[in-house]
Every structure is written in C-alpha cells, then in structure tokens.
Amino acid sequence: MQPISGTPARPPGEGQNAPSAAGEQPLSTQQRTVLERLITRLISLTQQQNAEVWAGMKHDLGVKSDTPLQSRHFPAAEQNLNQRLEVAQQNHANRQALSQLTELLGQGNNRQAVSDFIRQQFGQTALSQLTPEQLKNVLTLLQQGQLSIPQPQQRPATDRPLLPAEHNTLNQLVTKLAAATGESGKMIWQSMLELSGVKSGELIPAKQFTHLVTWLQARQTLSLQSAPTLQTLQAALKLPLEPNELTAIKEYAQQTYQIQPQSILTTVQVQDLLNQIFLRRVERERELSDPRYPQPIYSPFAPMIETVKSLSARPGLLFVALMLALAIFWLVA
C-alpha cells in the first residue's frame, strides 16, 4: 500500500504560530513603566546610574545581565526595587538629619552640649554610632533648645602666630562666608587683619584665633537670616556674651543706631556689632594679661586707708577724728 500523501501529523503546540509558554512573554509596557518609575526614584536618592540599578536587580533575581526580563519576573522585580527604595529613603533621611545637626554644631557651644548629652544617654560621643532614631532625637532636642548648653572653656592666650592648621581653618571659614555673602575672600581677610590690629606683613597672633572663628561663624549664620536681631546675634556667637558684655553691646547699639532688642538689624549694623564684640574681647584679654594692669590685692588695712582718704577730703572731720583718737589713747594709757 502507498503511504497517504500530505503534511505529516505534528504534536499539539508545535506549529509556527504556536503561542509562547505561559509567563515567557516580555515585560508589558505597563510593567516596564512601573519598574522604570521605581528606578527613577531610586536614582534620585542615590549615586547609582540607570544601567547599574537594572544590573543589580537582575543579579538579585538570578537573571543573566544580557537576558531581558520576562513578564513572570515582574512581581519579584517590583518587590526588589521597592525594598531598595525603602532603604535609600531611610539613608537619605539620615543624611539630611546628620547634615542639619552638623550645621547646628557650629553655633554657640552646641557641639559640647551634644557631646555631653549622647555620652550620658548612649555611652558614646560619635554621631556616626547613633541609630537613626537616636540621631533624630538629638536633632529635635537641639532645635527645640532642650539641651543644656555649657559655657565654653577659654584657652590661655598666647603671642605665637597662627599655626598652619589654624590658618587653614580660618581660610575655610572665609571661603564659606564669601560664598554666602558674595563678598570677596580677600576683603574678608583684610577686615580680619584690620580687626586684629596687625601691621602689613605681620602675622595674626594665635590668641585671636578663637575670636576670629566666632566672628566668621557668626557672620555666616546671620547672613542666612532674613531678619536678624540682637537676640539672634547673641545666639549665633560660638562664645556667648557674658552679662556685662551683653549690657555694653545693647547700650552701644541703642546709642549708635537707636536699636532696641527686637529691632531688625541691617547688614552694616550686624557687622559693626560683631566688630565691637571682637574688639572688646581682645581689649579685655590684653588688660588681663598686661602687667601694666595689675589685679587688685586684698589688704587688711585697705578699709582704714579708704577711711583716711575720705576724711582727708574733709579737714574738719579729720581733726575731730584725730582728737577722739588721742583722747582714747590717753585714757587707755
């Protein structure tokens, strides 16, 4: 018998137009859009590139880098990106909190206050060792003024010139101030030299380093404020004003500019008041360290001497006092 001519029978599903196995279709337009949106959000929070995120996701899913994702990969891919995004958002929030806290540490004596607080509460002083919740708690307390701010310790003055490290610190602060105010760094240095009272070619003495740091940091902080006042000026000082200093500055501001405690200060007034604080502190240190300004020594005869001086200005009383002293002497004798 002859075989029946015609197309031989084929197993089901083997034709040219046979549909692909379930789940082997490429990502749909909607699925790819969802993944790309997640990747865009992830890139905005990290330093990664688009291709790097795709490659990392495929590696986590066990898909070769040169193999396109299939629709069956979509649920795992979406979950992977959401997990990565959650971690990136938490890290971003932590970086923001640390940045805000670092900015506040440069104001007043906040750094010492934070160091004391985290040592007492958490047994350490490194901010990098704090958990995100601890870091956020410290930032909130500092912003709300609930931390005890200690008075900074003043180092003994010295006549040596600035060390390279100290000069570099001032230079960095000058650069930040210039960026904030638009003033040239050269002009800021010139103002500092004039404040320090050094002649051309001379070096700034190290004993003025702390005061210059306070001056630069206060100018930087106040330049960011739209409505500075005497109160915010005082808060911007790394070395806070003592009561007598505050009284003197208030009197100077009132007499010179008719400024009240809540008055809004102009840029010129802010700089002039900071200059006055700098000059008064430098002068006070000079008086304390200058041998021509000896400290008073208590003498047990001081009250008697003052009494005699007082009576000598009134001869009549002095004569009566002498007569009474002689009478008492003769009676006792």
Side-chain angles (χ1 to χ4, degrees), residues 145-167:
Q146 296 182 23
L147 292 185
S148 176
I149 310 297
Q151 288 291 327
Q153 297 180 352
Q154 300 186 44
R155 297 179 178 178
T158 173
D159 289 327
R160 65 168 174 79
L162 291 172
L163 295 174
E166 293 170 332
H167 188 277

Side-chain angles (χ1 to χ4, degrees), residues 36-292:
E36 287 179 346
R37 285 177 178 174
L38 289 172
I39 289 175
T40 299
R41 292 173 61 190
L42 186 59
I43 290 174
S44 69
L45 297 174
T46 65
Q47 300 297 323
Q48 293 179 298
Q49 301 299 319
N50 188 291
E52 185 181 356
V53 177
W54 277 104
M57 178 183 61
K58 285 184 175 182
H59 177 270
D60 291 346
L61 299 180
V63 179
K64 294 182 180 180
S65 59
D66 57 349
T67 302
L69 292 179
Q70 304 295 322
S71 61
R72 62 186 175 85
H73 294 129
F74 174 74
E78 184 182 25
Q79 182 181 11
N80 180 272
L81 290 176
N82 276 319
Q83 290 173 345
R84 287 169 173 254
L85 184 60
E86 184 179 349
V87 172
Q89 288 172 334
Q90 183 62 55
N91 291 338
H92 179 70
N94 292 343
R95 287 195 299 270
Q96 282 190 320
L98 184 59
S99 176
Q100 289 178 292
L101 185 55
T102 302
E103 184 70 24
L104 290 174
L105 291 182
Q107 301 178 17
N109 203 28
N110 288 345
R111 186 179 301 277
Q112 185 63 46
V114 170
S115 178
D116 292 343
F117 176 78
I118 63 178
R119 184 190 298 110
Q120 296 169 2
Q121 297 295 319
F122 312 123
Q124 54 192 332
T125 57
L127 292 177
S128 59
Q129 299 300 317
L130 299 182
T131 66
E133 284 301 319
Q134 291 172 340
L135 193 65
K136 185 178 179 180
N137 183 40
V138 172
L139 175 61
T140 301
L141 291 175
L142 188 58
Q143 288 175 329
Q144 295 178 352
Q146 296 182 23
L147 292 185
S148 176
I149 310 297
Q151 288 291 327
Q153 297 180 352
Q154 300 186 44
R155 297 179 178 178
T158 173
D159 289 327
R160 65 168 174 79
L162 291 172
L163 295 174
E166 293 170 332
H167 188 277
N168 185 52
T169 297
L170 293 180
N171 203 38
Q172 291 177 351
L173 292 173
V174 167
T175 301
K176 290 182 179 180
L177 179 58
T181 63
E183 188 178 356
S184 71
K186 183 177 180 181
M187 292 300 297
I188 296 174
W189 270 108
Q190 183 61 37
S191 298
M192 291 163 60
L193 292 173
E194 292 175 358
L195 274 176
S196 300
V198 298
K199 299 178 181 178
S200 178
E202 293 182 349
L203 298 175
I204 296 175
K207 62 185 178 182
Q208 295 187 12
F209 173 73
T210 300
H211 300 313
L212 289 172
V213 168
T214 299
W215 184 81
L216 287 166
Q217 290 180 333
R219 283 196 60 189
Q220 163 92 18
T221 300
L222 293 167
S223 69
L224 304 176
Q225 298 180 5
S226 58
T229 64
L230 282 174
Q231 185 177 1
T232 59
L233 183 147
Q234 183 185 10
L237 295 172
K238 181 179 180 181
L239 187 63
L241 291 171
E242 295 180 359
N244 60 327
E245 287 182 303
L246 180 59
T247 300
I249 290 301
K250 284 182 176 179
E251 291 178 352
Y252 174 84
Q254 205 283 327
Q255 294 173 3
T256 308
Y257 303 110
Q258 288 73 52
I259 292 175
Q260 301 301 321
Q262 299 304 320
S263 300
I264 306 301
L265 305 178
T266 66
T267 302
V268 173
Q269 291 170 346
V270 166
Q271 183 162 346
D272 183 38
L273 292 175
L274 290 176
N275 289 351
Q276 288 297 319
I277 293 171
F278 178 94
L279 293 172
R280 289 168 186 267
R281 287 179 169 178
V282 170
E283 177 64 18
R284 180 172 176 270
E285 283 190 354
R286 187 186 69 82
E287 292 180 357
L288 293 176
S289 60
D290 196 323
R292 290 175 299 177

Side-chain angles (χ1 to χ4, degrees), residues 319-333:
F319 176 76
V320 172
L322 288 175
M323 293 301 294
L324 287 174
L326 288 173
I328 293 172
F329 174 77
W330 284 111
L331 289 174
V332 174

